[in-house]
Amino acid sequence: MGDFERARQYGVEGEVLDRQAIAAREPNLTGEFAGAVYFSQPGFVPDPGGLAKAYAALFKRKGGRFLIGDARSLERQPAGWRVAGTAGAAVAREAVVALGPWSDLVFRPLGYSIPLAVKRGYHLHLAPRGNAVLNSPVLDSDLGYLLAPMNRGHPSHHGRGVCPPRCAPTPIQLERALPRAHALFPLGDAIDAKPWLGARPCLPDMLPVIGKAPGHPGLWFDFGHQHHGLTLGPATAVC
């Protein structure tokens, strides 16, 4: 409740639910609930892959082009910046390093020491049992996992862990969260062959790196949006 009261000071709308109100909103949840907070304004994306494809299609309709190449080949040229590609090199007056958790593969060879790390989370799509329906994302803040309605089933999310870029997967938290998730909602078999792993690029102050590279004219940095890339990414691109 303390977190909710602080959020209210910034205009976040919500409603405190008792057990009866929880059951009315999510009748397929089971457990002894002390209460819950329902946030009425935030939205969620039930198909992130579909959204990304829609963005890509819009980009092409607006005249954009997609080229496949190796970002690690980025080098300064008299006319700007060059990247080697499968269909020939791409040369532009300016370049933007927006590679998320892989941005260090480009900025470190150029001499920049930026303390980039990743916060990783796993999720697994599971089919609901019977006709069970989850209407909204449900976060168990005490046990550290989240269930969300998705087009491919209900994924179970675990808490996050911080590690250097490209460290080995450690899905133990997901394994521990799954029994708790099954106790909360009637989940069936897993749809995915293995859990999906997401790497969120983060800086110690949890703020992204946005702006001109100080030592290389025509080079821009745009990474480190951590968990807010879905909303901050488009906003940064407009800037």
Side-chain angles (χ1 to χ4, degrees):
M1 284 297 299
D3 290 341
F4 179 41
E5 292 302 324
R6 285 190 291 272
R8 274 180 165 168
Q9 299 175 16
Y10 296 95
V12 177
E13 295 185 6
E15 177 185 355
V16 177
L17 307 180
D18 58 17
R19 295 181 183 181
Q20 290 74 25
I22 294 173
R25 286 194 175 274
E26 298 292 348
N28 293 121
L29 295 182
T30 58
E32 295 295 326
F33 304 113
V37 175
Y38 171 69
F39 293 102
S40 56
Q41 290 183 325
F44 65 96
V45 178
D47 187 357
L51 176 62
K53 291 176 181 177
Y55 278 144
L58 175 62
F59 177 70
K60 293 178 69 174
R61 290 198 301 270
K62 295 290 187 179
R65 292 186 301 146
F66 287 97
L67 303 174
I68 299 176
D70 188 345
R72 294 171 296 181
S73 68
L74 180 70
E75 60 178 355
R76 181 71 179 168
Q77 297 280 296
W81 292 88
R82 178 184 184 276
V83 172
T86 56
V91 179
R93 184 184 63 196
E94 296 180 303
V96 180
V97 179
L99 298 171
W102 301 279
S103 297
D104 64 314
L105 297 175
V106 173
F107 69 68
R108 292 194 191 282
L110 294 175
Y112 295 94
S113 180
I114 301 173
L116 181 68
V118 296
K119 289 177 68 179
R120 300 191 310 177
Y122 304 80
H123 80 220
L124 183 67
H125 290 95
L126 301 116
R129 290 204 312 267
N131 296 320
V133 174
L134 189 67
N135 297 306
S136 302
V138 175
L139 170 66
D140 187 330
S141 57
D142 289 335
L143 298 180
Y145 67 93
L146 179 143
L147 294 176
M150 306 287 281
N151 287 355
R152 296 189 60 239
H154 298 289
S156 173
H157 296 252
H158 83 332
R160 275 63 176 176
V162 179
C163 71
R166 294 170 297 284
C167 56
T170 54
I172 186 172
Q173 293 189 42
L174 178 62
E175 295 170 358
R176 291 178 176 176
L178 275 174
R180 298 165 177 173
H182 278 277
L184 178 67
F185 184 86
L187 295 168
D189 295 333
I191 298 173
D192 302 321
K194 61 180 180 179
W196 175 87
L197 167 62
R200 287 85 176 196
C202 301
L203 281 298
D205 59 2
M206 299 304 288
L207 296 176
V209 178
I210 303 173
K212 296 180 179 180
H216 295 81
L219 184 66
W220 296 76
F221 290 154
D222 181 16
F223 53 83
H225 294 76
Q226 34 114 357
H227 292 270
H228 304 299
L230 184 66
T231 49
L232 291 183
T236 304
V238 172
C239 296

